[in-house]
Amino acid sequence: MSSAVKGSVSRHYVLAAGGTGGHLIPAFALAAELDRRGHHVALITDERGAGIPGKPDYVPAHVLPPGRIAGKNPLNWLRGLKGILSGRSMALRLFESFQPTAVVGFGGYPALPTMLAANAAKIPTILHEQNSVLGRVNRYFAGKVNAIATAFAQVDRLDAKYADKITLVGNPVRDEVLALREAPFPEFGEDSLLRILVTGGSQGARVLSEVVPDGLAMLPPALRSRLQVIQQCRPEDIEAVRARYAGHGIPAELATYFEDMAERLAGAHLFIGRSGASTIAELTAVGRPAILIPLPIATDDHQAANTREIVAAGGARAIRQESFTATTLAKQIQAMAQHPETLANAAHASWNCGYPNAASDLADLVESFGAAPIMDVIRMEKAMPAKGGEALAKSKLAKDSVQ
């Protein structure tokens, strides 16, 4: 339950995000920060997004129909356009009852009709771009919004003419991950266990299941005997991966999903996995060295772009998937972990790339747009029911909401 900060003006904000963890994790982090400041937040997403774990209970989620225009089939265009127009109308109805001070778009197709509705209603808008390449929806709205928040200093496809709108804030991460930032890097010496965390994003990655066990088996015996592996796998791959590790005599804990991922990251000496925006943000928030394998089919190759800063700083190694073999992986692990100081230095370099104040800085930016405080009070009073001062007016989208 949200509780307003004493002496502050309580405002309403709408966050619009696509249905992936990459879009939603920073949205959830911003929602939590705005709630701490006494504001009320509503989320607009799609069916996938409504089911992703981590959404704060006090944030209602409104599901919009898919509105993606893709492919060459005109019928798909018509269906996509119909979805966009329907979503825009639904968002406008929510705005009528919720009276948002500003709307924040995190990219993804559900953000498209929401941002269109916000422009039509003349509500201030802010974009947050999680990746090192401006996404398609954010690219479309870059010239129409009041501000653009970025997670990286260099963002491709972001026109220089929008420089006066851009604020570098970083990528907000979950509170439980940020809480690990001041904890020391796990002790690692000549005889210590080498704890390796392997994940491929929310759906796992088959290439990691195929390459990592064999790559670890190729390490020198003195290093291989100290391995302790935690790996996320696809359900259809997990038994084959288990058999590979058993055949190599390497202890490994495998699962299709880890509820306590922050705790696993806290104990890891080395991360191996994809380079999605949230992954990079969490690695740099905590300060963990990494071997990153960008998803080759990522739109505009943005996962490769996401590795630039951390690799340049010395906090990670990046391997293109076409070059990701057991031999290559073994060489990279050996180069990073053969000497304790090498791994510790990489951890520090990763830590230096982090943006621990991302959620707070983004919230500051969001709060800087909107009506004068007295107008916020007036609009809020209009949105409140006559009875029950802390209850929000019932949304006309109630039938489309997922609580």
Side-chain angles (χ1 to χ4, degrees):
M1 182 76 171
S2 173
S3 57
V5 177
K6 187 175 180 180
S8 69
V9 174
S10 182
R11 296 178 173 182
H12 293 179
Y13 293 100
V14 169
L15 312 184
T20 66
H23 294 302
L24 285 165
I25 288 174
F28 294 161
L30 175 61
E33 177 62 25
L34 291 173
D35 178 77
R36 277 192 287 269
R37 299 183 183 197
H39 303 304
H40 298 280
V41 180
L43 173 71
I44 290 180
T45 185
D46 57 19
E47 289 184 1
R48 289 183 307 161
I52 285 182
K55 182 182 73 65
D57 293 338
Y58 48 80
V59 177
H62 302 274
V63 177
L64 262 58
R68 180 173 181 173
I69 299 177
K72 298 181 179 181
N73 188 337
L75 291 178
N76 290 337
W77 300 347
L78 290 174
R79 280 192 290 268
L81 181 59
K82 182 180 178 181
I84 291 170
L85 294 176
S86 175
R88 179 180 178 275
S89 297
M90 292 169 67
L92 284 170
R93 292 199 299 274
L94 172 62
F95 296 165
E96 287 176 5
S97 60
F98 193 64
Q99 292 287 299
T101 297
V103 175
V104 187
F106 287 84
Y109 288 100
L112 176 59
T114 308
M115 301 300 283
L116 288 173
N119 286 343
K122 294 182 169 36
I123 299 170
T125 51
I126 301 98
L127 293 179
H128 181 268
E129 177 54 58
Q130 300 87 54
N131 292 294
S132 273
V133 181
L134 197 66
R136 291 176 180 175
V137 172
N138 283 354
R139 210 176 303 161
Y140 175 78
F141 285 104
K144 302 173 176 63
V145 297
N146 297 84
I148 302 169
T150 64
F152 294 90
Q154 179 184 344
V155 179
D156 298 344
R157 301 212 174 189
L158 178 52
D159 201 304
K161 67 185 178 183
Y162 302 131
D164 60 340
K165 295 183 180 185
I166 299 170
T167 301
L168 174 61
V169 300
N171 233 337
V173 299
R174 298 169 291 170
D175 287 343
E176 59 267 33
V177 172
L178 191 59
L180 303 171
R181 182 162 176 82
E182 300 308 321
F185 184 63
E187 185 176 344
F188 181 67
E190 295 289 350
D191 300 319
S192 303
L193 287 174
L194 174 59
R195 292 189 292 272
I196 297 179
L197 176 63
V198 186
T199 77
S202 59
Q203 299 300 317
R206 177 159 292 163
V207 68
L208 299 177
S209 296
E210 294 172 346
V211 172
V212 174
D214 294 345
L216 296 179
M218 296 178 70
L219 292 172
L223 189 56
R224 187 179 64 202
S225 65
R226 296 156 52 202
L227 291 175
Q228 189 176 72
V229 181
I230 298 171
Q231 183 163 346
Q232 175 209 15
C233 308
R234 291 180 175 182
E236 61 270 28
D237 297 336
I238 193 165
E239 291 308 320
V241 178
R242 198 185 310 280
R244 282 194 177 191
Y245 277 118
H248 294 313
I250 297 174
E253 180 184 354
L254 309 179
T256 57
Y257 180 76
F258 289 107
E259 292 280 353
D260 55 348
M261 187 58 77
E263 184 178 333
R264 306 300 178 127
L265 186 60
H269 296 108
L270 179 64
F271 172 88
I272 301 174
R274 295 300 195 192
S275 50
S278 292
T279 296
I280 299 293
E282 293 190 352
L283 289 172
T284 56
V286 179
R288 291 297 178 269
I291 295 175
L292 301 169
I293 304 89
L295 179 67
I297 59 171
T299 305
D300 299 317
D301 202 21
H302 68 258
Q303 284 208 5
N306 289 348
T307 69
R308 286 185 303 220
E309 186 174 331
I310 188 172
V311 169
R317 312 282 179 102
I319 306 173
R320 285 284 190 174
Q321 184 161 311
E322 59 267 25
S323 302
F324 184 56
T325 64
T327 301
T328 302
L329 177 62
K331 287 179 179 178
Q332 294 293 347
I333 294 174
Q334 193 171 351
M336 295 183 76
Q338 194 166 18
H339 303 292
E341 64 274 14
T342 305
L343 206 57
N345 290 339
H348 187 65
S350 174
W351 191 89
N352 281 336
C353 292
Y355 293 89
N357 300 319
S360 178
D361 290 346
L362 181 56
D364 288 346
L365 179 65
V366 170
E367 284 186 322
S368 70
F369 290 94
I374 186 62
M375 290 307 298
D376 284 321
V377 173
I378 292 170
R379 291 170 74 189
M380 248 196 75
E381 287 177 349
K382 286 182 178 179
M384 292 292 185
K387 185 177 181 180
E390 291 191 2
L392 291 177
K394 290 184 179 179
S395 170
K396 293 180 183 178
L397 277 180
K399 64 180 189 300
D400 300 309
S401 297
V402 178
Q403 300 297 333

